[in-house]
Amino acid sequence: MQIDRKTRFLTREEAIYFGLLAAVIFLILPLALDSFRLNLFGKYLTYAFVAIGLVLCWGAGGILSLGQGVFFGLGGYAMAMFLKLEASTPEATAIQSTPGIPDFMDWNQITALPWWWEPFNSLAFSLIAVVIVPVAFAFIIGVAMFRRRVGGVYFAIITQAIAAILTILIIGQQGFTGGVNGITDLRTLKGWDIRTDEAKEILYFVNAVLLFACLFAAQYVRRSKLGRLLIAMRDQEDRVRFSGYDVASFKIFVFCLGAAFAGIGGAMFTLQVGFMSPTLVGIVPSIEMVIFAAVGGRLSILGAVYGTLLVNWAKTTLSESFPELWLLGLGALFIAVVMFFPNGLAGLWSEQVMPRLRKLFAGRGAGARPPAAPVPANSASAPDSPAAKAAAE
């Protein structure tokens, strides 16, 4: 997968937009917000990982997944399992009937750590699992669906059903997963207290760096030949297939890439918020993640980040001011964007705002420009001049 030599990785305009987003995330928000609000926006940015993956899957590839919360949750649970085991040392759990295991296992009368929890004692394994587990699950779903040419609304409904099934499974296996409460009371990472304000600020910047790494990876895909093939598959899938391309493999790849992004976001959510629960895995959060991408613009990776920040900020503000009406407000925002701005905030900017700004600046430039000097009648450019006649002959 290579970028065409004629295709630039970032145009000048895109580089400016990336720089503006970096200024907002790395400078403006840390300087303008206190520790609590900065941690809140850090949580918002973890959802942006999912939105970026949706731009690739849905915006570029035409694959609408209503179950991205599954991959977000798997990455989050992988990190939460390591943190919970670190917090469940025999000394810290001495009051339990079975010291050395997570508290929810002791409450459910489990007397030994399950074998599949054992590898999560290793931080290296847990970090790998944050990406590998969601990707492996996405690969299984992708092979099962795309090899059978299942797509469109059918694929969306199936992914939604998978989200519901996994939520029920997590809640039902309370002794192994923490049930409806999830995995809570996460305190340290290799002895480093992640609950302090200083730790939360550091994690915010780590989250921001990883987010930009995913943005650049997504931009690389969009600018590569694969990116053009994804758009072609979205618009004319049969024609791409008849041209000899393995459409299913491309869909599986981009679906797995979106799952990897979501898994990283889930892990960062666990580190910054301090818990992971099935409420972040099910249908409702998965649909909200689609709303983030739709509001920001399903064709723009930067728009997806802005959309995530805007929707979550509106959700927090409305829920604080109007606790009984905020859901209606969120729904109205989504409906308004879909009806009037189908390409989201990014489409509104590129189709409405930028043309007006260009026209405005072009008009000012033309007004400031001195009038052109008249062409002398005997000049070489005059049609009846001797020089012009000689050139014509």
Side-chain angles (χ1 to χ4, degrees):
M1 183 172 62
Q2 296 180 347
I3 295 180
D4 222 344
R5 290 184 179 179
K6 297 180 180 179
T7 305
R8 297 176 63 183
F9 177 70
L10 284 175
T11 64
R12 182 179 179 182
E13 190 172 303
E14 288 172 336
I16 293 173
Y17 293 154
F18 268 87
L20 288 174
L21 180 61
V24 169
I25 293 177
F26 288 100
L27 293 177
I28 296 176
L29 291 180
L31 292 175
L33 301 175
D34 57 30
S35 181
F36 172 76
R37 293 290 176 182
L38 186 65
N39 180 248
L40 200 60
F41 272 84
K43 184 183 78 170
Y44 300 162
L45 290 176
T46 61
Y47 299 136
F49 288 87
V50 188
I52 294 169
L54 279 168
V55 169
L56 293 179
C57 293
W58 181 30
I63 306 167
L64 176 58
S65 170
L66 297 179
Q68 292 300 101
V70 169
F71 311 121
F72 185 85
L74 289 174
Y77 268 97
M79 179 56 68
M81 290 166 73
F82 169 79
L83 298 176
K84 190 63 178 178
L85 288 177
E86 184 174 337
S88 302
T89 60
E91 296 78 13
T93 57
I95 61 173
Q96 295 178 182
S97 57
T98 307
I101 64 173
D103 48 13
F104 56 82
M105 293 186 183
D106 187 64
W107 300 337
N108 288 272
Q109 300 179 354
I110 295 175
T111 57
L113 191 68
W115 64 268
W116 49 276
W117 269 76
E118 292 285 355
F120 289 94
N121 280 301
S122 166
L123 177 59
F125 177 88
S126 301
L127 293 176
I128 295 172
V130 162
V131 176
I132 294 300
V133 172
V135 167
F137 195 52
F139 180 79
I140 294 170
I141 296 172
V143 170
M145 297 294 106
F146 299 135
R147 292 295 181 192
R148 291 170 174 79
R149 300 188 184 181
V150 177
V153 66
Y154 303 104
F155 180 80
I157 292 173
I158 290 172
T159 53
Q160 192 176 50
I162 292 171
I165 292 169
L166 187 61
T167 303
I168 295 170
L169 181 64
I170 292 173
I171 294 174
Q173 298 298 317
Q174 181 173 327
F176 302 107
T177 63
V180 69
N181 294 322
I183 301 178
T184 59
D185 196 24
L186 308 177
R187 305 171 185 175
T188 60
L189 174 66
K190 283 295 184 179
W192 179 48
D193 192 345
I194 59 175
R195 298 170 298 176
T196 64
D197 290 343
E198 181 184 0
K200 289 178 179 179
E201 291 178 5
I202 293 173
L203 288 172
Y204 170 85
F205 285 105
V206 172
N207 185 37
V209 170
L210 290 175
L211 179 66
F212 267 84
C214 290
L215 280 170
F216 287 130
Q219 178 70 4
Y220 183 85
V221 171
R222 291 175 67 243
R223 288 299 186 188
S224 66
K225 183 178 179 181
L226 172 60
R228 296 193 293 275
L229 280 172
L230 289 173
I231 295 173
M233 289 188 301
R234 180 194 66 193
D235 297 335
Q236 294 288 340
E237 182 176 325
D238 289 337
R239 183 173 294 182
V240 175
R241 182 178 290 109
F242 295 152
S243 298
Y245 290 100
D246 187 355
V247 171
S249 295
F250 293 127
K251 285 187 173 183
I252 292 170
F253 174 80
V254 75
F255 188 54
C256 290
L257 183 61
F261 290 169
I264 296 171
M268 291 309 303
F269 177 93
T270 300
L271 285 169
Q272 292 185 94
V273 181
F275 77 95
M276 176 53 65
S277 77
T279 57
L280 298 160
V281 178
I283 294 174
V284 174
S286 296
I287 293 177
E288 284 184 349
M289 292 166 185
V290 174
I291 293 176
F292 303 156
V295 170
R298 65 187 181 94
L299 302 177
S300 170
I301 54 177
L302 296 182
V305 178
Y306 284 115
T308 303
L309 292 175
L310 174 64
V311 173
N312 281 281
W313 173 80
K315 180 179 176 181
T316 300
T317 304
L318 290 173
S319 63
E320 290 175 351
S321 305
F322 309 100
E324 297 179 356
L325 300 176
W326 71 271
L327 275 175
L328 296 176
L330 187 63
L333 174 65
F334 179 63
I335 292 171
V337 168
V338 171
M339 289 184 63
F340 302 108
F341 310 110
N343 289 327
L345 296 175
L348 176 64
W349 175 262
S350 61
E351 297 169 10
Q352 302 293 332
V353 178
M354 280 303 295
R356 286 178 170 81
L357 290 176
R358 290 193 183 101
K359 189 175 181 180
L360 177 64
F361 288 120
R364 288 183 177 179
R369 198 175 301 159
V375 180
N378 61 349
S379 68
S381 59
D384 295 330
S385 65
K389 290 180 181 179
E393 293 175 356

